[in-house]
Amino acid sequence: MKEIPEVRFKKDTEQTLEFEITQLSKLFQNTFHDHDPMKSHRLNFYTIIFVTDGKPGTHYIDFNTYEYKQGNLIFIAKEQLHAFSSLQNNEGYLVLFTESFLTQSMAFEDNIFLQQLFNYQLYHPVVPLPHEQYREFETIITMARQERERTSDFASARILRSYLNLLLLKSQRLRNEHAHYPDSSYYQEFNQFQQLLRQDLFRSRKVSYYAEQLNMSSKKLNMITQEMVSMPVKTYITASFILEIKRILANSSLTVNEVGYEAGFKEPTNFVKFVKKYTDMTPTELRSTLR
């Protein structure tokens, strides 16, 4: 059976840097053998889209449509589903990189900052650039692109990580200036919970399981999710579960029963009842609305 189309970072050799910058105008001139960029596909790397010219449009990420315009940055995390829509009519850049490429930098060894910037469950994926900072971001990306195209590889990885580091730090500063952030004292614990949830989502939906794995009480875990995402932990777990079910239904040829088994339901009828309870549709009906 065909699983969710997962686009992996292309590496020609073991020495290939897991960092690329591609012009949007050239992206759609390529022939895609493994996926259709106009249809939802899952990424196993991080993407930043920088729109430099063209009319306002929309981009599709995890079953939501986001509006963008010239001067916007769009952040797409690994594991998310996304699809290009009217972006093929725009000019700009795609900055692509893997987690392993970035975390080789000592400044990111704990990985917390990366998870915060790309945390789609906390923050809007589109970041508008103030007019006075547009050229600054364009210059950083242009210089990184020129460095990536150099034939000499002396210190290239370190230089590229420095440019990427600068791009991400400046992006985060913009978010800090224009968005409300939850209490940062809970962020590391919440991030650990998110990572565990992604790993064990189909193993358990019990609050007690995750609290025990994180060595904290269910009450403490509930307090953390209330602070970070304004919902009880049980509701958050269920919402994450439903999102992953939608991802599979939308982009897999697995039968509904097979999706149910993969999600941990031994009886197909229980899976149908569960999905209908939280979406008001059966899995079959839900699949038809997502494609």
Side-chain angles (χ1 to χ4, degrees):
M1 291 292 181
K2 183 179 180 182
E3 302 297 332
I4 298 176
E6 182 172 338
V7 182
R8 297 186 172 275
F9 206 96
K10 294 182 178 180
K11 296 173 63 177
D12 299 325
T13 69
E14 292 184 359
Q15 287 75 37
T16 300
L17 291 175
E18 296 180 337
F19 177 90
E20 294 291 345
I21 298 180
T22 303
Q23 288 181 289
L24 281 175
S25 59
K26 293 184 178 180
L27 177 68
F28 292 90
Q29 296 173 8
N30 297 330
T31 301
F32 297 87
H33 301 288
D34 53 351
H35 73 286
D36 182 352
M38 304 298 291
K39 295 182 179 179
S40 293
H41 50 282
R42 174 173 284 183
L43 305 177
N44 86 324
F45 49 85
Y46 293 90
T47 299
I48 303 172
I49 301 173
F50 178 34
V51 183
T52 61
D53 197 9
K55 297 180 180 179
T58 58
H59 197 69
Y60 182 77
I61 309 173
D62 271 345
F63 315 106
N64 293 302
T65 300
Y66 296 95
E67 296 182 353
Y68 68 85
K69 60 183 179 180
Q70 179 183 0
N72 283 176
L73 298 171
I74 305 173
F75 291 84
I76 305 170
K78 69 174 186 177
E79 299 181 358
Q80 284 195 282
L81 298 183
H82 86 121
F84 291 93
S85 53
S86 51
L87 270 171
Q88 66 268 29
N89 299 316
N90 291 92
E91 294 290 341
Y93 299 95
L94 281 168
V95 181
L96 317 171
F97 61 95
T98 65
E99 186 172 351
S100 62
F101 172 79
L102 181 62
T103 53
Q104 290 179 47
S105 169
M106 293 300 291
F108 292 92
E109 61 183 356
D110 61 3
N111 201 26
I112 295 299
F113 173 71
L114 178 64
Q115 296 298 332
Q116 182 176 353
L117 185 59
F118 283 87
N119 198 318
Y120 55 86
Q121 293 175 316
L122 291 179
Y123 311 116
H124 198 280
V126 180
V127 176
L129 290 177
H131 177 72
E132 63 274 13
Q133 292 178 300
Y134 173 88
R135 293 302 178 191
E136 182 179 5
F137 275 73
E138 186 176 40
T139 298
I140 295 171
I141 292 176
T142 299
M143 292 178 69
R145 183 166 175 250
Q146 290 172 348
E147 176 63 33
R148 186 64 181 88
E149 294 175 350
R150 288 174 61 91
T151 56
S152 173
D153 62 355
F154 175 75
S156 287
R158 294 179 62 183
I159 293 171
L160 288 171
R161 271 192 289 271
S162 295
Y163 283 130
L164 181 57
N165 190 330
L166 182 60
L167 179 65
L168 297 180
L169 285 171
K170 285 185 173 290
S171 297
Q172 185 63 30
R173 185 164 67 182
L174 278 176
R175 278 190 167 176
N176 289 344
E177 292 174 351
H178 299 95
H180 170 70
Y181 277 74
D183 187 347
S184 60
S185 64
Y186 291 120
Y187 192 84
Q188 186 166 353
E189 292 170 309
F190 181 67
N191 181 64
Q192 292 172 343
F193 170 50
Q194 285 185 302
Q195 291 187 31
L196 179 62
L197 186 61
R198 284 193 291 268
Q199 174 185 310
D200 292 352
L201 185 59
F202 286 166
R203 179 179 297 178
S204 177
R205 300 193 307 277
K206 293 182 178 180
V207 175
S208 58
Y209 170 83
Y210 292 99
E212 181 179 351
Q213 295 295 313
L214 295 167
N215 195 29
M216 66 176 65
S217 66
S218 296
K219 182 178 180 180
K220 172 68 178 296
L221 184 55
N222 189 69
M223 182 171 64
I224 290 172
T225 59
Q226 288 279 16
E227 174 66 27
M228 297 299 291
V229 291
S230 301
M231 66 177 71
V233 61
K234 182 63 177 177
T235 303
Y236 180 76
I237 291 172
T238 300
S240 300
F241 189 87
I242 289 296
L243 174 58
E244 188 61 25
I245 291 298
K246 291 171 69 175
R247 286 170 171 171
I248 297 175
L249 287 173
N251 290 80
S252 170
S253 60
L254 294 173
T255 67
V256 167
N257 287 351
E258 288 171 330
V259 175
Y261 291 138
E262 184 174 321
F265 290 88
K266 295 182 179 179
E267 295 296 331
T269 54
N270 291 336
F271 176 60
V272 173
K273 291 178 181 178
F274 180 89
V275 172
K276 189 166 186 178
K277 177 181 178 180
Y278 292 102
T279 67
D280 293 324
M281 288 181 282
T282 67
T284 301
E285 293 169 338
L286 181 60
R287 168 173 269 170
S288 68
T289 67
L290 298 174
R291 291 186 165 182

